[in-house]
Each structure stands twice: as structure tokens, then as C-alpha cells.
């Protein structure tokens, strides 16, 4: 028997998260949950860094030691998390943090090693998997210094889908999400409706970039998503359309400052 934690399950033996949907010996794809640089899986609570030196933890204590590293659905959480676009490693991310700081909103950018499988995997696989609804792959949030009075999740492009997955997982578990912000998001209509009707997700803010020429928008069909690929390739080179908030230029900084001001006006704190 195991103790149900969100969409994951602890079993008595070997006291690690069961992830039966990942074939043995294979690296999970779009969420970047493969072995780390030391060759460890992030879920393996038997690794040295998870168990005190000289300690011999039983299943229950080992499970508790792992959980202490994460926020669990149902926890009260405050802070503002930002999920960048595919790859989650663009230079615009740090400037996005700066732009929000000007409005006294402290953003924490998520770790790309945990939330991204790389630019190509995110764009080709992650978007298709996570846009349609709650995924089997649910990754608990790492503990981070909490600040402010709200719990806000802000995502751009692929990151908007990762943010939506976090919101639905934690919201269903009882954690209040004050704002879920979806920027340039190709989220499906059904999933968008799902997050909008989850009581613990208090406000969903959709920032479409249609006026800037973005072919992606919240509620779009899978067919239209596939047809958008040529346009996206061109816009990536031009830093236009879907990539409106991405350029590392003075104009890009102005746009990000404008976005921060807009979201502040919508109630983000």
C-alpha cells in the first residue's frame, strides 16, 4: 500500500516515488527528469544527498525526508514563479525578473534542469503533451524562499503549459493559486476551461499576442498548432510575433517592463 501524494505515490519498498509510466531504463522526456550530472534520478530518495550521513531511514522516514524538499499540493505557498519558453534558458528571463522587480513583484525563475527537456523536446513534445489537460507527469515544486502575499504562476509559451500543470495539480490539492498567467499560450480550449473552473485557481489571465502576429493563442486546436510551425520559425529569427517578449534588446526590455506593469494593474503582488 502507498500514500497518495497528488498524482504520485509512495510505496513501502523501495521507498521512492513510483513512476510506472516511465519505462525502466528510459529518461522521461519533456519535463527533463532524467539522471543528473552525478548520475542520480531526482526522485531517488536513497541517494546520499537525501539521507543523513550514517542514517538508515525506514520507508516512512525516508519518504518524509524527500517530501521536506518540496512543497506538497495542499501547502500554503506564497511567491511568484516564472516559467520561460522552450528550453527555459533565454537571456530574456533574467530581464523579466528585473522588469517585475521594478513593480515590487519578486519573480523566481524555475530551474530549467527540472522543468525543461531542452528547446527541441519542449517545443516538439512538451507542448503537445501538456497543452491538452492534466498530465500524468506531476513534478512537485522545490522549496524556495517565500515572499509577498500571493501565489502566482506566470508562464510564457511552453512555460505557460508547465505553469498550468503546476496550477491544476496544486489547485486540485487545495493550494490557492491567486493568479495563473498564460502568455502566448497554445493551451487547448478544454484545459483552459479546466483551470478556469478549478476553485483554488482564483484568476486566470490570458495574454495572447495575436495583435503582434503570433499564430499561437489560448484555446487553439491541435491542427492549427501544427500548421503554425513555419510561421514560428520565421518569427524566431525575426524576434517578432510569438517571440515578442524574448529579444535581448532595449525594445525587448521596454516590452517586458510594459508586461510587468500590465500584470501589476491586474492585481499581481
Amino acid at each position: 500500500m502507498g500514500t497518495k501524494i497528488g498524482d504520485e505515490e509512495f510505496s513501502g519498498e523501495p521507498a521512492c516515488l513510483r513512476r510506472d509510466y516511465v519505462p525502466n531504463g528510459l529518461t522521461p522526456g519533456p519535463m527533463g527528469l532524467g539522471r543528473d550530472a552525478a548520475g542520480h534520478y531526482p526522485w531517488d530518495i536513497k541517494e546520499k544527498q537525501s539521507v543523513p550521513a550514517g542514517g538508515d531511514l525506514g520507508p516512512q522516514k525516508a519518504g518524509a525526508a524527500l517530501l521536506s524538499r518540496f512543497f506538497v499540493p495542499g501547502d500554503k505557498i506564497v511567491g511568484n514563479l516564472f516559467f520561460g519558453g522552450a528550453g527555459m534558458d533565454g537571456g530574456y528571463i533574467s530581464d523579466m525578473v528585473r522588469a517585475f522587480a521594478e513593480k515590487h513583484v519578486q519573480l523566481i525563475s524555475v530551474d530549467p534542469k527540472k522543468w525543461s527537456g531542452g528547446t527541441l523536446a519542449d517545443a516538439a513534445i512538451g507542448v503537445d503533451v501538456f497543452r491538452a489537460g492534466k498530465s500524468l507527469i506531476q513534478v512537485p515544486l522545490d522549496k524556495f524562499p517565500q515572499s509577498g502575499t500571493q501565489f502566482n504562476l506566470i508562464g510564457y509559451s511552453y512555460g505557460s503549459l508547465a505553469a498550468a500543470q503546476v496550477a491544476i495539480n496544486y489547485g486540485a490539492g487545495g493550494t490557492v493559486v491567486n493568479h495563473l498567467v498564460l502568455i502566448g499560450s497554445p493551451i487547448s480550449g478544454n484545459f483552459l476551461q479546466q483551470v478556469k473552473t478549478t476553485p483554488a485557481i482564483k484568476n486566470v489571465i490570458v495574454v495572447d499576442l495575436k495583435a503582434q502576429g503570433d499564430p499561437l493563442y489560448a484555446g487553439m486546436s491541435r491542427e492549427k498548432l501544427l500548421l503554425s510551425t513555419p510561421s514560428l520559425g520565421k518569427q524566431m529569427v525575426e524576434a517578432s510575433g510569438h517571440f515578442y517578449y524574448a529579444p535581448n534588446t532595449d525594445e525587448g526590455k521596454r516590452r517586458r517592463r510594459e508586461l510587468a506593469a500590465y500584470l501589476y494593474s491586474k492585481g499581481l503582488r
Side-chain angles (χ1 to χ4, degrees):
M1 294 180 65
T3 303
K4 193 71 173 177
I5 307 293
D7 280 336
E8 307 292 355
E9 183 178 337
F10 280 103
S11 59
E13 295 295 333
C16 61
L17 282 172
R18 293 176 58 193
R19 298 169 61 240
D20 298 336
Y21 46 85
V22 179
N24 187 33
L26 294 183
T27 298
M31 293 298 266
L33 296 179
R35 293 182 183 273
D36 60 20
H40 303 148
Y41 282 105
W43 295 121
D44 192 345
I45 64 176
K46 296 180 291 182
E47 302 296 349
K48 295 179 181 178
Q49 67 269 28
S50 302
V51 180
D56 184 15
L57 300 184
Q60 291 183 336
K61 289 185 178 180
L66 175 63
L67 279 180
S68 69
R69 297 165 48 196
F70 304 113
F71 287 115
V72 177
D75 284 351
K76 178 175 174 56
I77 308 173
V78 292
N80 308 289
L81 296 184
F82 180 71
F83 298 75
M88 294 186 174
D89 57 358
Y92 68 92
I93 294 176
S94 60
D95 188 67
M96 189 75 79
V97 172
R98 177 204 57 78
F100 276 78
E102 290 183 0
K103 304 302 293 185
H104 306 289
V105 176
Q106 181 182 345
L107 284 190
I108 299 171
S109 58
V110 300
D111 183 358
K113 292 181 180 178
K114 180 172 182 178
W115 294 99
S116 170
T119 301
L120 290 178
D122 293 350
I125 302 174
V127 167
D128 205 31
V129 171
F130 298 128
R131 67 178 299 274
K134 188 176 181 181
S135 171
L136 288 173
I137 301 176
Q138 295 292 346
V139 185
L141 292 173
D142 291 321
K143 289 290 180 84
F144 54 83
Q146 299 191 63
S147 64
T149 59
Q150 299 179 349
F151 180 39
N152 301 316
L153 300 169
I154 305 164
Y156 185 14
S157 188
Y158 162 77
S160 72
L161 306 178
Q165 292 293 335
V166 172
I168 199 71
N169 186 37
Y170 278 78
T175 297
V176 172
V177 179
N178 296 95
H179 297 89
L180 170 64
V181 181
L182 308 174
I183 305 167
S185 180
I187 189 171
S188 73
N190 287 339
F191 193 21
L192 181 60
Q193 183 65 17
Q194 188 180 4
V195 295
K196 282 185 173 181
T197 55
T198 298
I201 303 175
K202 299 302 182 181
N203 191 25
V204 178
I205 301 174
V206 174
V207 181
D208 278 333
L209 299 172
K210 285 185 177 181
Q212 288 75 30
D214 187 359
L216 304 187
Y217 58 91
M220 71 187 306
S221 67
R222 186 172 186 270
E223 290 72 22
K224 288 187 176 179
L225 174 65
L226 296 175
L227 290 173
S228 70
T229 302
S231 296
L232 291 174
K234 183 174 183 290
Q235 290 181 356
M236 181 183 294
V237 174
E238 298 174 346
S240 64
H242 183 68
F243 303 91
Y244 182 75
Y245 291 116
N248 293 314
T249 61
D250 288 342
E251 174 62 17
K253 291 180 179 180
R254 185 196 66 78
R255 294 171 183 176
R256 290 184 283 271
R257 189 180 296 113
E258 187 179 67
L259 174 65
Y262 169 72
L263 293 177
Y264 185 85
S265 75
K266 300 294 285 186
L268 264 76
R269 297 292 184 269

